[in-house]
């Protein structure tokens, strides 16, 4: 989500890709061998706020599901391959019902491979730490999208105490000299807490969202504590070099650090942290294999029939509904295209799908209302003869339906105003097994650095975005296919296992921490 991939994790039995893989392709097995060779099976702990499996009450029965989360989509296949323990917030209504006395349950529930250790939070803690400090402070602070961050001391207090809960849970779970892989902006204080509690651990952290410039970050009243928390890591990863550079500039302005630019390393208080880019990705081979399935073909027919997805060109947007995704800007660009090139009326259909997110936060609720208003207005302006240009898909889509939608889309539009990576773009490319399709991609995503063959846009420039969208849907087939071929080569080679292999490889090459007893 990176940010976000909307595909829930595949089932463990997902088919393997057709045909042999090139020699240098990273696979689940290769990552597993790397970790077990260096540290032994079971010695990897992943820590994140979002849990990979949620158990919910549905009347008298308990069902489990995988949340729509880029982080989960990315990390879950790695844990399935490597084993170990994943420590995360237990957020499901039936989560407590299925765990042992230590808060543990083996997952995936239908094919247990690793332990999930749940951390319990009160309503108040969740409000202050997750909705408050993580998502009303750090999220807007790190994404430069002009939503003003809120700084509340009580949220900060919850953020500190919840990071301490996570620290206790990890310290209980971690074998001696284990490697702890922390994820995201919810847990910035955890590395320093862990190193204080358990100096034998090696700690790495992947930050799934952008890191802003030092000018932006300096408004945070607790910037020093956050930076000190992160500088306790042995390795700190961002999606792209630009975010690493922003981080290095930030620490050099705020703290007495030594920066070794050549090795991208920061030394603070005698401890050195490697700060490196690791561009996150998707399990492209698994997506490719599933996109071939009969179920996806049937789902394409259902979606077309049920929602009238017919037209010369179907353009799709698919997001977690978040104000960073530039959904209003995308709708306005479609509106502009239909105004400037009315010949597209009754021929172009724009389909917006997605999942609601963080809807307790006012900025998310008003974003959703804005989207609904815009869709109504644009459909009134351009609709005729029972035809309307924009369809808001009302249902929460299954993995199969998402793959079907990717395959239906002549063009996918990703117009984030700021995005660490954006895995929806990568999923779309992986799912285009026919080698066709076009990707309109915001230049403010991490993915734009890897995908020069996409139709890159500045979503703030409506005329420019409308013009690029027009170019994407009118490009002659041979050129369009040529671009898609190069995008697909890239995503198949730079897959999720490469991301994990390169980051974990960097961590596992480090000497064990010196523990003074
Ligand atoms: O993109 C950042 C991120 O935290 C991802 O890691 C995650 O998948 C996504 O946002 C969803 O957020 P949440 O866990 O709050 O639903």
């Amino acid at each position: 989500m990176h940010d976000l991939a909307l595909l829930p994790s595949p089932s463990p039995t997902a088919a393997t890709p057709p045909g042999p893989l090139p020699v240098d392709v990273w696979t689940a097995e290769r990552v597993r061998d790397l970790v077990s060779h260096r540290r032994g099976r079971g010695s990897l702990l992943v820590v994140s706020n979002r849990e990979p499996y949620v158990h919910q009450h549905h009347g008298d029965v308990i069902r489990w599901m995988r949340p729509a989360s880029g982080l989960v989509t990315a990390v879950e296949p790695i844990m399935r391959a490597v084993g170990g323990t994943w420590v995360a917030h237990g957020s499901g209504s039936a989560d407590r019902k299925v765990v042992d006395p230590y808060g543990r349950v083996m997952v995936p529930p239908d094919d247990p491979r690793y332990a999930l250790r749940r951390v319990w939070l009160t309503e108040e803690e969740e409000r202050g730490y997750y909705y408050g400090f993580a998502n009303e402070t750090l999220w807007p602070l790190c994404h430069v999208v002009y939503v003003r961050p809120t700084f509340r001391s009580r949220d900060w207090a919850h953020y500190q105490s919840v990071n301490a809960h996570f620290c206790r849970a990890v310290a209980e779970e971690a074998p001696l000299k284990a490697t702890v892989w922390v994820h995201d902006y919810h847990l910035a204080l955890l590395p320093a807490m862990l190193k204080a509690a358990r100096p034998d651990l090696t700690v790495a952290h992947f930050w799934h969202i952008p890191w802003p410039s030092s000018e932006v970050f300096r408004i945070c009243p607790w910037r020093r504590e956050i930076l000190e928390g992160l500088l306790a890591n042995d390795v700190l990863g961002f999606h792209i070099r630009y975010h690493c550079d922003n981080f290095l500039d930030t620490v050099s302005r705020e703290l007495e650090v030594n920066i070794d630019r050549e090795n991208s390393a920061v030394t603070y208080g005698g401890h050195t942290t490697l700060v490196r880019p690791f561009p996150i990705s998707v399990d492209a081979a698994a997506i490719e294999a599933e996109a071939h399935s009969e179920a996806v073909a049937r789902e394409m027919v259902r979606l077309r029939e049920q929602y009238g997805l017919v037209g010369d060109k179907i353009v799709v947007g698919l997001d977690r509904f978040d104000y960073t995704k530039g959904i209003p800007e995308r709708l306005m660009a479609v509106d502009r295209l239909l105004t400037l090139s009315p010949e597209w009326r009754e021929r172009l259909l724009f389909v917006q799908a997605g999942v609601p997110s963080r809807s307790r936060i006012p900025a998310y609720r008003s974003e959703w209302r804005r989207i609904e208003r815009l869709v109504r207005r644009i459909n009134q302006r351009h609709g005729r003869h029972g035809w309307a240009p924009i369809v808001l898909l009302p249902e929460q889509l299954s993995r199969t339906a998402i793959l079907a939608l990717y395959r239906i889309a002549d063009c996918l539009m990703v117009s984030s105003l700021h995005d660490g990576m954006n895995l929806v773009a990568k999923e779309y490319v992986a799912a285009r097994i026919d080698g066709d399709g076009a990707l309109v991609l915001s230049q403010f995503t991490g993915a734009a650095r890897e995908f020069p063959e996409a139709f890159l846009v500045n979503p703030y420039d409506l005329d420019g975005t409308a013009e690029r969208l027009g170019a994407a849907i009118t490009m002659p087939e041979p050129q369009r296919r040529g671009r898609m071929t190069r995008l697909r080569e890239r995503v198949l080679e730079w897959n999720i296992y490469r991301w994990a292999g390169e980051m974990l490889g960097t961590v596992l090459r480090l000497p064990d921490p010196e523990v003074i007893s």
Side-chain angles (χ1 to χ4, degrees), residues 1-3 50 69-71 130 139 184-186 208-209 320 358:
M1 200 129 57
H2 24 159
D3 108 41
R50 185 62 62 202
S69 152
L71 184 158
Y130 173 78
W139 181 268
D184 237 345
Y185 57 100
H186 311 86
H208 288 253
I209 63 176
R320 192 167 50 75
R358 305 174 190 166

Side-chain angles (χ1 to χ4, degrees), residues 50-51 53-67 90-98 118:
R50 185 62 62 202
E51 59 180 344
Y53 292 90
V54 183
H55 288 85
Q56 301 280 19
H57 284 297
H58 290 266
D60 288 346
V61 292
I62 293 178
R63 295 208 187 110
W64 56 269
M65 46 91 73
R66 302 185 193 94
S91 57
S93 58
D95 274 1
R96 286 174 193 264
K97 282 270 158 51
V98 298
R118 287 175 166 148

Side-chain angles (χ1 to χ4, degrees), residues 213-215 218 223 227 247-257 259:
S213 73
S214 56
E215 278 301 302
R218 68 201 270 254
R223 58 194 179 282
L227 296 174
F247 181 81
L248 295 178
D249 285 348
T250 307
V251 289
S252 72
R253 273 166 205 258
E254 300 293 344
L255 302 171
E256 285 291 310
V257 290
I259 297 191

